[in-house]
Amino acid sequence: MKLLLRTLFCCVLSHLVIANSIQKKFEDVLMSREIRNSAYTQTTETRQRLECTDMRDKNGIYYYKATESHQPTVCMLFLQGDPDQLIEVEFKSFDISCSDGELISLVDGWEQQGQYFPAEEDHSLPLAERHRLYCDDKPSKLVTHQNVAMIHWIILKPGQGFSINVRFFYNPKRKYIVFKKIV
């Protein structure tokens, strides 16, 4: 009898583990399909220039290029989606040189004076995976884990810069909400 119960328990447990694994795979497939199929409202390839400090909440192609009158400073772009959205940032062009002391950083969340939102203890990823620095090599695509993202950059040479494609898409499994728009 004990052997039968043990066998039955192991069988049920293995089915639960397999079902949980299948559910996780299914959720991952649904999320990737949601990213691909989400409403992409941008109808033209119009590029919009970013200011040194800027905030955007719409799909689009944005760019920043240092001009002759550009003063070397830390610039930043705050991206803010609705509470039920995630953000995808893909670099289209990237002309930032480490040897010139230039860099760009991507933050999954927001950072202000060393404080991260959501806080490290409130997020499933360690800070090293949420805040990445780049120069010379174009960053890979970033998909956030909440409805905000941030890009910092320092560009010293006129004519250098970057362009990004930003997409906001529906998040069926929202976990972190950093900011809610007030209408």
Side-chain angles (χ1 to χ4, degrees), residues 11-103:
C11 188
V12 168
L13 185 61
S14 66
H15 278 77
L16 288 174
V17 168
I18 292 169
N20 191 25
S21 175
I22 291 171
Q23 180 183 358
K24 175 77 174 117
K25 272 289 189 214
F26 182 69
E27 288 173 353
D28 290 345
V29 167
L30 284 177
M31 179 62 91
S32 65
R33 185 177 294 151
E34 189 66 42
I35 291 170
R36 281 195 314 272
N37 297 336
S38 64
Y40 188 55
T41 57
Q42 182 178 340
T43 56
T44 64
E45 290 289 309
T46 304
R47 294 169 19 124
Q48 299 175 36
R49 180 168 170 64
L50 294 170
E51 299 300 322
C52 187
T53 301
D54 213 330
M55 180 177 272
R56 300 296 172 121
D57 63 356
K58 302 268 188 285
N59 291 334
I61 297 174
Y62 302 103
Y63 74 96
Y64 184 85
K65 189 168 284 219
T67 62
E68 292 293 330
S69 62
H70 169 77
Q71 296 296 314
T73 187
V74 176
C75 297
M76 61 197 78
L77 169 63
F78 295 90
L79 297 169
Q80 168 201 335
D82 289 332
D84 63 350
Q85 290 181 319
L86 296 179
I87 306 167
E88 177 185 76
V89 178
E90 181 179 13
F91 280 80
K92 298 302 223 174
S93 67
F94 188 80
D95 184 18
I96 295 175
S97 171
C98 292
S99 61
D100 294 331
E102 301 174 330
L103 64 86

Side-chain angles (χ1 to χ4, degrees), residues 20 48 60 85 91 106 121 123 128 138 141 158 162 165 183:
N20 191 25
Q48 299 175 36
Q85 290 181 319
F91 280 80
L106 298 177
E121 60 271 8
H123 205 283
K138 183 166 88 169
K141 187 186 302 186
F162 63 91
N165 186 13
V183 183

Side-chain angles (χ1 to χ4, degrees), residues 120-182:
E120 190 167 11
E121 60 271 8
D122 295 330
H123 205 283
S124 59
L125 293 178
L127 198 53
E129 291 181 36
R130 293 177 49 211
H131 188 183
R132 297 196 177 128
L133 299 174
Y134 299 92
C135 57
D136 292 333
D137 295 324
K138 183 166 88 169
S140 56
K141 187 186 302 186
L142 167 74
V143 177
T144 65
H145 290 80
Q146 65 280 316
N147 64 326
V148 296
M150 185 175 198
I151 303 173
H152 294 104
W153 65 90
I154 299 173
I155 300 175
L156 305 173
K157 281 183 155 180
Q160 290 187 316
F162 63 91
S163 68
I164 54 174
N165 186 13
V166 175
R167 221 167 48 109
F168 296 85
F169 60 91
Y170 174 68
N171 176 17
K173 303 186 312 182
R174 70 179 170 187
K175 190 171 186 180
Y176 309 108
I177 300 170
V178 176
F179 189 80
K180 184 175 179 178
K181 295 179 194 176
I182 299 173

